[in-house]
């Protein structure tokens, strides 16, 4: 294995899963020796439709075989036009959203950077309100609104222009972040300038699978509207159906001013991101925010195919919500069986987290699951949460198999 001798020490996932993966189909990955692993990681939610979905793969292969344009910056191409047509027809139109679509670059942090820059340009203000437990990306602007201390430390410089408040449920609901923010804004002597925007995840994935309540999100949206603050929803990990609806904020009945999308928007794991915003916020000058790889046409092709395949009706949404109930029941029984070790179960749709009282236990469970052929990651401030994100297209049998392996892994770790 050449990686340890030449690849940077920054590598992480390969340390926890020390095999060479060679193939992937549906909900499984296969190592070079042919061993199968059930994937409840799904590319950190970049593979909501599984690995190499045949419909998406066929669309991609056909496009490449016809010498379709691969790279185009922001030039007009047939692939881009097809994606925008499908996105307008299957996502924006049915939800009555008047969003403009910006292609800011290939990754989620590009989308966040564009959102922050746009909010500051529109309002003429600098401060961004962010939340405890947040994760928004690894570039400097995104790190400034990220809460995780270890990731912030990697910046090497001060990260400012951010005011952080408690997320829903922080400190056992002993402190209301929204009341604090509203009170500070109401008092001209509080020292808090009116911010440009608030950025929030509806479910904090890297923060430990922390779902915000629908009422809390609605209150946040009302506060932002009343105070003239732009509301940015970071839907990079929880969008594209992970919680059920296409956008994770739909259940709260809110309409953000700006939305960040990436990960599964391409449908195939290809780099792609979008920043969506109300038409009246489109104050960009041509080329004012750009990037060489914002025109990834193969990603446009698979994204359009995914929209046609999975979002022509509500079948996938309803299936994910039903499976969320199943996960809550099954994992709830597991948590009840091990209350001495599992402090809480949290989740929504097909993203769930088991919060262990001792952080080392979460790593032991993940390692035991890997030894049994199941890929799960850990998250949270201390990596104390075992995080489950199977492909939305997993079969019922695969989901049952994965939950069974997890039960065994927990029992092994607790017994050890």
């Amino acid at each position: 294995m050449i990686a340890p001798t030449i690849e940077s020490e920054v590598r992480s996932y390969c340390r926890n899963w020390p095999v060479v993966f060679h193939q992937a189909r549906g909900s499984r990955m296969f190592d070079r020796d042919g061993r199968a692993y059930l994937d409840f990681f799904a590319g950190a939610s970049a593979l909501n439709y599984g690995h190499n979905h045949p419909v998406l793969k066929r669309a991609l292969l056909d496009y490449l075989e016809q010498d379709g344009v691969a790279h185009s910056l922001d030039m007009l191409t047939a692939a881009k036009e097809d994606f925008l047509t499908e996105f307008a027809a299957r996502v924006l139109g049915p939800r009555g959203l008047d969003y403009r679509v910006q292609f800011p670059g290939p990754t989620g942090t590009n989308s966040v950077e564009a959102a922050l820059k746009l909010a500051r340009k529109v309002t003429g203000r600098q401060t961004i309100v962010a939340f405890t437990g947040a994760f928004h990306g690894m570039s400097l602007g995104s790190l400034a609104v990220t809460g995780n201390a270890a990731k912030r430390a990697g910046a090497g410089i001060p990260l400012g222009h951010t005011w952080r408040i408690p997320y829903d449920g922080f400190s056992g609901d002993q402190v209301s972040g929204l009341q604090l923010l509203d009170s500070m804004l109401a008092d001209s002597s509080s020292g808090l300038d009116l911010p440009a925007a608030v950025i929030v995840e509806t479910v904090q994935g890297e923060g430990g699978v922390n779902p915000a309540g629908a009422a809390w999100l609605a209150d946040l949206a009302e506060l932002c509207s009343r105070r003239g603050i732009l509301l940015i929803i970071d839907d990079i990990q929880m969008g594209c159906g992970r919680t059920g609806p296409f956008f994770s904020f739909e259940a709260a009945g809110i309409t953000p001013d700006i939305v960040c999308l990436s990960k599964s928007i391409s449908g195939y794991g290809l780099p792609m991101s979008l920043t969506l915003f109300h038409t009246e916020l489109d104050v960009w000058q041509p080329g004012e925010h750009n990037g060489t790889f914002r025109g990834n046409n193969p990603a446009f092709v698979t994204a359009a195919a995914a929209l046609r395949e999975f979002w022509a009706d509500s079948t996938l949404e309803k299936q994910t919500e039903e499976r969320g109930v199943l996960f809550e029941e099954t994992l709830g029984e597991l948590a009840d069986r091990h209350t001495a070790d599992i402090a809480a179960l949290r989740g929504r749709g097909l993203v769930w987290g088991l919060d262990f009282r001792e952080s080392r236990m979460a790593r032991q469970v993940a390692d035991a699951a890997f030894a049994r052929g199941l890929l799960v990651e850990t998250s949270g401030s201390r990596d104390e949460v075992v995080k489950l994100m199977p492909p939305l297209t997993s079969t019922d049998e695969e989901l049952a198999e994965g939950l069974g392996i997890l039960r065994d892994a927990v029992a092994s770790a607790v017994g050890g």
Side-chain angles (χ1 to χ4, degrees):
M1 188 182 296
I2 192 173
T5 65
I6 194 170
E7 188 177 0
S8 166
E9 293 297 327
V10 78
R11 64 190 187 279
S12 60
Y13 289 116
C14 60
R15 297 179 187 274
N16 297 325
W17 303 325
V19 298
V20 178
F21 291 107
H22 180 57
Q23 290 181 309
R25 290 188 300 276
S27 298
R28 297 185 192 274
M29 299 185 72
F30 302 85
D31 69 18
R32 198 156 52 187
D33 297 323
R35 184 183 180 186
Y37 295 83
L38 191 57
D39 187 1
F40 272 28
F41 172 61
S45 202
L47 295 163
N48 282 4
Y49 314 119
H51 297 269
N52 288 304
H53 190 280
V55 173
L56 279 58
K57 180 167 67 175
R58 186 70 264 162
L60 177 60
L61 291 175
D62 287 347
Y63 183 76
L64 295 176
E65 288 170 353
Q66 295 165 13
D67 290 332
V69 175
H71 177 271
S72 63
L73 290 94
D74 68 358
M75 289 183 279
L76 300 176
T77 65
K80 182 189 204 176
E81 184 176 53
D82 185 36
F83 166 71
L84 287 172
T85 299
E86 294 294 340
F87 192 71
R90 303 187 188 277
V91 177
L92 300 182
R95 292 161 181 79
L97 299 172
D98 68 339
Y99 291 146
R100 290 290 181 93
V101 179
Q102 179 180 357
F103 300 95
T107 72
T109 199
N110 296 124
S111 178
V112 171
E113 294 286 358
L116 299 178
K117 186 189 290 187
L118 180 63
R120 287 169 169 141
K121 180 178 175 64
V122 168
T123 64
R125 304 191 291 264
Q126 296 181 346
T127 304
I128 305 293
V129 173
F131 290 91
T132 55
F135 178 76
H136 297 288
M138 299 296 281
S139 52
L140 292 180
S142 300
L143 278 179
V145 291
T146 287
N148 184 281
K151 291 181 171 60
R152 288 171 59 84
I157 63 171
L159 299 169
H161 302 297
T162 301
W163 199 69
R164 200 170 309 280
I165 62 175
Y167 189 73
D168 190 20
F170 180 80
S171 190
D173 279 330
Q174 295 180 41
V175 180
S176 171
L178 300 191
Q179 289 182 7
L180 175 62
L181 177 60
D182 206 18
S183 298
M184 293 283 281
L185 292 173
D187 189 337
S188 61
S189 296
S190 68
L192 175 65
D193 296 327
L194 185 66
V198 172
I199 186 167
V200 66
E201 303 154 276
T202 65
V203 181
Q204 293 181 334
E206 298 305 306
V209 190
N210 304 312
W216 186 88
L217 289 167
D219 288 345
L220 173 60
E222 188 278 330
L223 187 159
C224 288
S225 177
R226 173 164 45 85
R227 295 288 183 184
I229 306 167
L230 297 178
L231 176 60
I232 304 170
I233 295 289
D234 179 342
D235 229 7
I236 289 166
Q237 190 167 103
M238 298 303 158
C240 303
R242 176 53 59 185
T243 66
F246 186 87
F247 295 110
S248 69
F249 56 79
E250 291 182 52
I254 64 176
T255 303
D257 298 291
I258 305 174
V259 181
C260 300
L261 282 179
S262 187
K263 293 196 181 281
S264 276
I265 187 60
S266 80
Y268 203 75
L270 299 177
M272 178 178 173
S273 71
L274 306 176
T275 306
L276 314 176
F277 41 84
H278 288 308
T279 300
E280 65 269 20
L281 302 181
D282 193 6
V283 297
W284 292 119
Q285 295 297 310
E288 189 175 6
H289 186 90
N290 55 31
T292 302
F293 294 101
R294 65 193 185 278
N296 187 357
N297 285 262
F300 297 161
V301 170
T302 55
L307 293 175
R308 284 189 287 265
E309 180 70 13
F310 297 108
W311 297 101
D313 56 34
S314 60
T315 300
L316 182 66
E317 175 181 346
K318 292 177 179 178
Q319 176 181 277
T320 300
E321 290 173 343
E322 291 169 359
R323 288 172 163 182
V325 174
L326 170 66
F327 264 58
E328 185 171 20
E329 293 174 352
T330 304
L331 293 173
E333 294 172 0
L334 179 62
D336 290 342
R337 194 177 307 134
H338 299 284
T339 54
D341 298 285
I342 299 175
L345 166 67
R346 298 186 294 270
R348 183 174 298 151
L350 279 179
V351 53
W352 289 88
L354 287 171
D355 185 348
F356 284 82
R357 299 184 189 281
E358 294 188 32
S359 58
R360 62 176 178 82
M361 190 66 70
R363 181 72 264 155
Q364 291 173 1
V365 169
D367 290 345
F370 174 70
R372 291 164 171 75
L374 176 68
L375 304 180
V376 295
E377 70 167 330
T378 59
S379 65
S381 300
R382 299 173 290 109
D383 281 330
E384 74 278 13
V385 176
V386 172
K387 181 181 177 185
L388 311 173
M389 291 192 301
L392 308 182
T393 52
S394 301
T395 65
D396 291 339
E397 292 75 18
E398 288 168 337
L399 295 178
E401 178 187 350
L403 290 172
I405 294 174
L406 181 69
R407 279 194 296 267
D408 293 343
V410 171
S412 172
V414 170

